[in-house]
Amino acid sequence: MMQGSRYILALWAVVLLGGTSQGDPQLPLASAPGNIIIGALFPIHEGTEKTKLSPPQAPICERRKLIEPPTYLDPLSVPITLKTFPGGTVMALALIHAVESMNRSPLLTRRGLSLGYRLHDSCSDVTTAVLTTQTFSSVALECGPALNGTRHHPAVTAVIGEMYSEVSIAVARLLNLQLIPQISYASTAVILSDKNRFPAFMRTVPNDDHQTRAMVKLLSDNGWTWVGVLTTDGEYGRHALDSFVSQASEKGICVAFQQVLPDLLSDLNIYRKITSAARTIAENPKVRVVVSFARPEHMKHLFGVLHPNAMDKVWIASDAWSLSKDLFEEYSIPASSKVLGFTFKSGNLSSFHHYLKSLELSMDITKNQAFPLSLANRSEVQGLSTESLLNTTNGGVIFSIQMAVTAIAHAVAELCTARDCSVPSSVQPWELLAALKKTRFEVEGKFYSFDSETGDINLGYNFVQWGPGQGDVLAEYHPTNDSFSCTSSVVSKCSNSCVPGQFKKTTEGQHTCCYECVNCTENHFSNKTDMDQCFSCGPHEWSPVGSSQCVAKTVMFFSWQDRFAMVLLVLALLGILLTLSVGVLFLCHRHTPVVKASGGPLSFLTLLGLTGSFSSAALFIGQPTRLQCQVRQVLFGLSFTLCVACILVKSLNILLAFQLNPALVSHLCRLYQPYAIISSCVGLQGLICGLWLALCSPTETMQLGETTTLAVCSEGSYEAFGTMLGYIALLALICFACAYKSRKLPQNYNEAKFITFSMLIYFISWVIFIPVYVTTTGLYLPAVEMVVILISNFGILSCHFFPKCYIILFKKAENTKDAFLKKVYEYSWKEASTISVNKPIMDNSPIFCICQASPEMKQNIIVQ
C-alpha cells in the first residue's frame, strides 16, 4: 500500500496545481477496492468558482483565487486567498492510513475481509458535497422483481465525513433515504444529534452543547461577563451561537455584540463583513474577551484587518480554529493577548506521523509522471512537503477519523461472523448502521461506543493556550462532568463590580451586565460583589447606608449604671434603711404612749408594707426579665395595699373613738375587727394580682427603634394594672375621708392630720403619674413609676413615723402617760361634757370607743 499512497500524493499535487478545476466532482480523487467500500468526504479545497446559471454546470473547485478588497476599504487590507486546505489533505491521508492499518489487523485478516474507499473533495461546498453523495447512493439492481432491501446495492456501505456541519447536514439528508451510515469526524452542530431527523448520522466527537458549556464555564470562572461573539452563517455557526447565548445568559454573561461572517470565503460580501466585525471589536474596548466559532481563514483575515491594539484581548477559540498555529506565526500578536482554545481529544499519533514521513513527495515523482510544471508550480509542490503536512496535523480530527474507520471495521467483523462477506453486496448499509449502534470497540486500550440516543461519542476536549508554550494542553474538560478550570487576570465587564454594600441597578432596555452601583439604603445590606438587590436586616439588627453587613441593635434599658437610676436606687435603699431604723426604734419603745398611739402592732405591719414597697422600686432597674416584670408590680401592689390598709384601720379607729355619733358607736364597735379588715383588703388585692398573672401576665418585650432595641416590661393588661392601682386609690380615698373628718384631735395625738397629709401626697403624685406614664415612652418610663412609688412611700414614712420618732428621741417629756392625759382632758372638756366609754378597741391600745364615760375614766384607759 505504500506505493499506492505515494501515487495518491503525486496525483494530489497534479490536481492541486494542474489547473483551476478538479474535473468531474462525481469522480473520486482516490479509491481502493475492498469487500466493504467506505465513501469519504474531505474539504481539500476551500471554495468553488462562480458558474453561470444557464445552462446548469457542475461546481468547479478553485485551486487559488484572490478576492481583492473593495476600494473604499483600507488600502493596506490584504486580499483574501482561496486555496487548497492542507488540513484536508492530512485528513484524507489519515483515512487511507487507518484503512490500511485495519486491513492488516487480525480483526479483518482472519475473516479474509478488507476495507476499500472512495475519497472525494467536497471543496467546502454544500452543492459539491451533495453531487458527490449522489454517487455514493447510486443503486445497482440485480435482475428480478421489484426493488427491495436485499436487491438494493448503493455504491458505498458507509460514509465518513464531512468536516463542516452545514455540509454534513445536507449529506445526511440524502443518506437518510437509504439509511447509509454516516460518521463525521468534526461536525459538531447540535441538530445532528436529533435521531428523528438524522437517523443514520453518527460522529466520533461531542456536539457543540458540550463545547459551549465549557466556554461558558471558562468565562464564568474568570468573571468575564461582557464578551463578543464571532460566528459564521452556516449551520455550525448558527447553532453554536444559539447554544452559547442560551447557556451564557443562564450564568449572567452578556453578549456585547454578535458578528456573523459569511460561511463561504468566496462570498463577495466577506470583506465588508470582516471589516465591520473589526470595527465593532475596536469600538468596544471594554470587551476584552471574544468568543469565535469562525473558520481559520476568517480569523486569519480578521487579524490582518485589526489594529494591534484591538487584538490585545483574550480570544476563545472553538474547535474549528483552535489549532491553527499559523495564525500567530503570520501576525504579530501583542504579548498580553491570549488565545484559549478547545480542541478534540487526541490519541497516540506516532504511527500516523511515521506514515507521513515515509511518503516521499518530491519533484522527481512529479517529473516521472511527465506532468509539465512551471517554476512557480514546482515551488508550490515543494510547499506541500511532508514537514508542512506534519505542522497542519490536527491531532483531535485525525484521531476521530481513525476511530470512525475502527468502528466500521468492528461492526463489519461482527456482521461477517455468521455470513460470507466475500460475496459482493452481502452487507447492506442499514445492517451496518444497526451494527454500528451496538458495536463496542477498543482503541489504545480504551473501549468506546456510540451513544444510543444521540449517536455521538463524547471524548471531551483538550484546553489549549497559544502564546508562550504555544499549543500546550492546560487542562481537560469532559462533558459528563465539569472538571475544568482555568483562571486569568483579564477584566472583561461592561460595568465595574459593585462592592459589598452596593447593588446593581440596571436601566430598562440595557444589558443586565451594564448597570450602576447604588449604595444599599439604611437597614439594608449586601455582602457579596455584584448583588442584584440588598437584603433587609433582621428586626434586631440595623445598618447605615452602604453597609456590607448588619450589626445587632444596641439593647437599651434603665440600666444600673445610669446616674438617674443610681439616684433613685440610693433613695430606695435610704427608704429601706429608714424604715428598718424606725422599726427598731418603735420596737425598743413599744410600751411608750407614742408607739401605742401610732397603732402598736399595726405600726410594724405598716413598716413591713413600706419595706416591700421600697424594695419593689429596685426591680424597675436593669434589663427586665419575665419574672422581674411579674414580681415588681405585684410586690408593690400587695406591699402598698398592706400599708394603706393599716392606715385605713387607724383612720377608722380614730373616727370611732372621737368623731362618730355615740348612738352608732356601739353597733360599729362590734363590727370593727382590725386584722380581719387588713386581711380582707390585702386578700382582695391578691385576688386581683392573681387573676392578672393567670390571665394576662406581664412579660418582657422589645421595642424596636432604628438603631436600638428598648427592653421594657409589657404590663400584659393595662386594665388589670389600672384595677390594681385603682383599688389602692379607693382605699387611700377612704383613709383620706376618715382622716379628714377626724382632723381636730389633740395636738400630741393628731394622727388624722398626718394621715390626711400623707394621702394627699399620694393622690397628688399618682394623679401626676397617670398622664405622664401614658404619654411617656423610651428609656426612662420605668423611672416614672419608680419616682411615684418613692414619693408615696416617703410621704407615709415622713407623715406617720418621723413625728413619732422625733418625740421619742427629742421630746421624751411628752412621751408619758401624764402628758397624754393632760392633752386628752383639755380636748375632752372642750368638746363635750359627757363621754360614754365602751370597752377598748384593741388590747394594749390607747385608742378606744367613746360610749358613756367621764374624763377621769378616759384618763385611766389612756394610761393603761
Side-chain angles (χ1 to χ4, degrees):
M1 293 298 295
M2 182 61 67
Q3 293 299 325
S5 298
R6 292 180 179 178
Y7 172 77
I8 291 169
L9 269 181
L11 176 61
W12 229 302
V14 173
V15 171
L16 297 176
L17 302 175
T20 61
S21 175
Q22 163 187 344
D24 188 353
Q26 296 183 339
L27 297 177
L29 289 178
S31 62
N35 301 110
I36 303 297
I37 303 299
I38 301 174
L41 289 173
F42 296 103
I44 306 301
H45 289 81
E46 293 186 350
T48 59
E49 286 187 354
K50 186 176 180 180
T51 59
K52 297 179 180 180
L53 296 179
S54 180
Q57 297 181 7
I60 300 175
C61 295
E62 291 184 319
R63 173 181 60 83
R64 181 178 294 271
K65 179 181 178 181
L66 298 181
I67 300 180
E68 297 292 342
T71 57
Y72 59 82
L73 294 181
D74 186 351
L76 298 179
S77 299
V78 181
I80 293 180
T81 304
L82 301 181
K83 60 180 183 179
T84 58
F85 180 37
T89 305
V90 176
M91 295 176 199
L93 291 174
L95 181 132
I96 296 173
H97 172 256
V99 169
E100 292 179 355
S101 298
M102 293 310 302
N103 285 340
R104 292 193 299 268
S105 68
L107 181 70
L108 298 181
T109 56
R110 64 170 174 255
R111 292 176 174 82
L113 300 176
S114 64
L115 302 178
Y117 54 83
R118 292 185 59 181
L119 199 153
H120 289 257
D121 180 8
S122 68
C123 298
S124 306
D125 177 63
V126 172
T127 304
T128 303
V130 169
L131 189 61
T132 299
T133 304
Q134 291 179 348
T135 65
F136 291 160
S137 58
S138 60
V139 178
L141 293 178
E142 295 181 358
C143 296
L147 179 65
N148 57 50
T150 59
R151 296 179 179 274
H152 181 195
H153 305 303
V156 299
T157 310
V159 174
I160 294 180
E162 212 264 348
M163 179 177 181
Y164 299 116
S165 294
E166 183 178 25
V167 177
S168 290
I169 290 173
V171 170
R173 296 189 189 279
L174 287 178
L175 298 179
N176 284 344
L177 298 175
Q178 300 178 32
L179 292 181
I180 300 176
Q182 175 189 0
I183 303 178
S184 174
Y185 47 84
S187 297
T188 56
V190 178
I191 191 176
L192 289 169
S193 294
D194 187 349
K195 296 301 102 179
N196 292 324
R197 298 183 185 182
F198 306 99
F201 181 83
M202 311 172 86
R203 53 186 162 195
T204 52
V205 291
N207 65 48
D208 281 330
D209 268 349
H210 304 299
Q211 179 176 226
T212 53
R213 185 178 297 113
M215 290 178 170
V216 169
K217 187 177 190 303
L218 174 64
L219 298 174
S220 178
D221 289 348
N222 288 278
W224 296 329
T225 58
W226 191 236
V227 301
V229 179
L230 296 177
T231 189
T232 60
D233 59 8
E235 294 289 343
Y236 167 78
R238 292 290 186 184
H239 285 96
L241 176 63
D242 292 343
S243 176
F244 175 80
V245 172
S246 174
Q247 296 185 38
S249 62
E250 294 177 0
K251 294 293 186 179
I253 298 171
C254 299
V255 177
F257 58 82
Q258 303 175 15
Q259 291 294 308
V260 182
L261 305 177
D263 195 52
L264 298 177
L265 296 176
S266 58
D267 192 310
L268 296 179
N269 293 321
I270 191 168
Y271 244 113
R272 181 174 60 84
K273 293 288 188 178
I274 289 179
T275 304
S276 175
R279 185 181 299 110
T280 301
I281 293 173
E283 291 173 352
N284 288 271
K286 288 187 177 181
V287 177
R288 300 299 308 281
V289 177
V290 178
V291 179
S292 174
F293 299 98
R295 295 185 181 183
E297 287 298 322
H298 290 105
M299 297 306 301
K300 183 174 182 179
H301 297 299
L302 177 65
F303 286 162
V305 175
L306 276 175
H307 190 277
N309 291 337
M311 296 175 63
D312 185 14
K313 301 181 183 298
V314 173
W315 300 85
I316 308 298
S318 69
D319 56 79
W321 65 283
S322 56
L323 289 181
S324 299
K325 302 177 183 179
D326 57 329
L327 291 182
F328 274 144
E329 293 175 354
E330 185 169 345
Y331 296 98
S332 177
I333 306 300
S336 57
S337 63
K338 293 181 181 179
V339 172
L340 305 176
F342 294 88
T343 183
F344 303 130
K345 283 190 176 180
S346 179
N348 186 358
L349 302 181
S350 58
S351 175
F352 179 64
H353 288 169
H354 177 74
Y355 175 80
L356 287 181
K357 292 177 181 179
S358 66
L359 299 176
E360 298 178 359
L361 178 64
S362 63
M363 293 298 298
D364 293 336
I365 298 179
T366 308
K367 290 179 180 178
N368 291 337
Q369 298 301 325
F371 289 108
L373 298 177
S374 64
L375 181 61
N377 288 340
R378 292 181 183 182
S379 64
E380 293 182 13
V381 173
Q382 287 176 333
L384 201 63
S385 63
T386 301
E387 188 64 29
S388 66
L389 295 179
L390 287 171
N391 289 336
T392 56
T393 300
N394 187 325
V397 174
I398 301 304
F399 186 66
S400 296
I401 294 172
Q402 292 177 349
M403 289 188 67
V405 174
T406 303
I408 292 174
H410 279 76
V412 168
E414 292 177 6
L415 287 174
C416 296
T417 300
R419 70 176 71 174
D420 183 9
C421 293
S422 60
V423 179
S425 303
S426 58
V427 176
Q428 294 296 321
W430 59 268
E431 294 178 314
L432 182 58
L433 175 61
L436 282 170
K437 292 181 179 180
K438 299 177 182 179
T439 190
R440 186 168 181 266
F441 57 95
E442 181 182 4
V443 177
E444 297 181 1
K446 295 182 179 180
F447 289 91
Y448 301 92
S449 61
F450 293 97
D451 186 87
S452 58
E453 295 183 359
T454 63
D456 304 340
I457 296 179
N458 292 339
L459 298 179
Y461 295 90
N462 282 333
F463 178 66
V464 297
Q465 174 181 337
W466 291 358
Q470 180 175 341
D472 290 345
V473 176
L474 300 182
E476 292 186 354
Y477 174 85
H478 195 275
T480 57
N481 56 55
D482 292 345
S483 57
F484 165 82
S485 63
C486 177
T487 57
S488 179
S489 59
V490 176
V491 176
S492 185
K493 294 184 176 182
C494 179
S495 302
N496 293 330
S497 295
C498 294
V499 298
Q502 298 178 330
F503 71 98
K504 299 188 297 184
K505 181 181 179 181
T506 58
T507 304
E508 186 176 358
Q510 287 188 345
H511 285 283
T512 57
C513 298
C514 299
Y515 49 82
E516 61 175 323
C517 296
V518 180
N519 286 333
C520 295
T521 58
E522 188 175 2
N523 292 327
H524 291 76
F525 74 100
S526 62
N527 55 5
K528 297 180 181 179
T529 58
D530 293 335
M531 293 191 67
D532 295 322
Q533 62 181 356
C534 297
F535 299 112
S536 299
C537 294
H540 299 284
E541 298 176 324
W542 78 284
S543 65
V545 175
S547 296
S548 60
Q549 62 180 356
C550 294
V551 296
K553 291 182 178 179
T554 303
V555 179
M556 304 291 291
F557 52 88
F558 194 41
S559 172
W560 297 94
Q561 286 75 33
D562 191 284
R563 292 184 178 179
F564 188 33
M566 291 181 181
V567 171
L568 296 179
L569 182 61
V570 169
L571 291 175
L573 293 175
L574 178 61
I576 294 174
L577 182 61
L578 290 175
T579 302
L580 294 177
S581 299
V582 170
V584 172
L585 183 62
F586 270 44
L587 183 63
C588 294
H589 298 81
R590 60 186 178 275
H591 299 298
T592 63
V594 170
V595 174
K596 291 180 179 181
S598 297
L602 292 181
S603 299
F604 296 103
L605 288 178
T606 305
L607 291 172
L608 178 62
L610 287 175
T611 303
S613 185
F614 275 121
S615 300
S616 69
L619 298 177
F620 288 84
I621 303 176
Q623 184 170 357
T625 62
R626 180 179 177 85
L627 180 62
Q628 180 180 344
C629 293
Q630 293 173 341
V631 170
R632 69 180 190 177
Q633 296 290 9
V634 173
L635 179 59
F636 165 71
L638 294 177
S639 299
F640 205 75
T641 299
L642 175 61
C643 182
V644 175
C646 293
I647 296 174
L648 175 62
V649 168
K650 293 171 65 175
S651 301
L652 292 175
N653 254 331
I654 296 171
L655 189 64
L656 289 172
F658 293 99
Q659 296 294 327
L660 289 180
N661 188 334
L664 298 176
V665 170
S666 61
H667 299 289
L668 294 177
C669 285
R670 286 192 295 269
L671 298 176
Y672 179 73
Q673 300 295 328
Y675 293 107
I677 294 174
I678 294 174
S679 299
S680 298
C681 292
V682 176
L684 184 57
Q685 183 70 287
L687 178 62
I688 294 174
C689 293
L691 292 174
W692 183 11
L693 293 177
L695 299 179
C696 195
S697 176
T699 185
E700 79 282 2
T701 185
M702 297 292 183
Q703 295 180 356
L704 303 179
E706 292 186 358
T707 61
T708 60
T709 298
L710 182 62
V712 296
C713 282
S714 172
E715 304 303 345
S717 171
Y718 284 98
E719 291 80 3
F721 181 44
T723 302
M724 182 196 77
L725 296 180
Y727 178 71
I728 298 175
L730 177 62
L731 296 180
L733 183 61
I734 297 174
C735 290
F736 178 79
C738 295
Y740 183 78
K741 188 173 179 62
S742 307
R743 64 188 181 280
K744 296 181 180 180
L745 291 178
Q747 183 68 29
N748 285 29
Y749 194 71
N750 198 354
E751 282 286 316
K753 290 182 179 180
F754 294 125
I755 293 174
T756 302
F757 190 63
S758 64
M759 292 301 100
L760 190 60
I761 293 175
Y762 167 80
F763 282 125
I764 293 174
S765 61
W766 283 94
V767 167
I768 296 174
F769 162 77
I770 292 174
V772 173
Y773 186 83
V774 172
T775 58
T776 301
T777 58
L779 183 65
Y780 291 101
L781 181 61
V784 175
E785 186 173 358
M786 190 176 177
V787 168
V788 176
I789 292 174
L790 293 177
I791 292 175
S792 302
N793 292 344
F794 277 110
I796 293 175
L797 188 63
S798 300
C799 296
H800 285 265
F801 294 99
F802 286 173
K804 310 297 187 297
C805 293
Y806 178 77
I807 294 174
I808 292 173
L809 295 175
F810 303 106
K811 299 288 185 179
K812 296 181 179 179
E814 297 181 5
N815 190 17
T816 62
K817 291 183 180 181
D818 293 338
F820 265 77
L821 287 173
K822 181 180 179 181
K823 296 296 182 181
V824 171
Y825 270 113
E826 292 176 355
Y827 175 77
S828 300
W829 287 112
K830 182 179 179 181
E831 293 294 327
S833 60
T834 303
I835 302 177
S836 298
V837 180
N838 198 1
K839 63 179 181 179
I841 296 176
M842 292 190 304
D843 294 339
N844 302 323
S845 174
I847 305 300
F848 50 86
C849 292
I850 306 296
C851 295
Q852 292 179 348
S854 63
E856 291 79 10
M857 186 177 290
K858 182 185 290 186
Q859 174 185 357
N860 293 332
I861 295 174
I862 291 176
V863 297
Q864 58 176 304

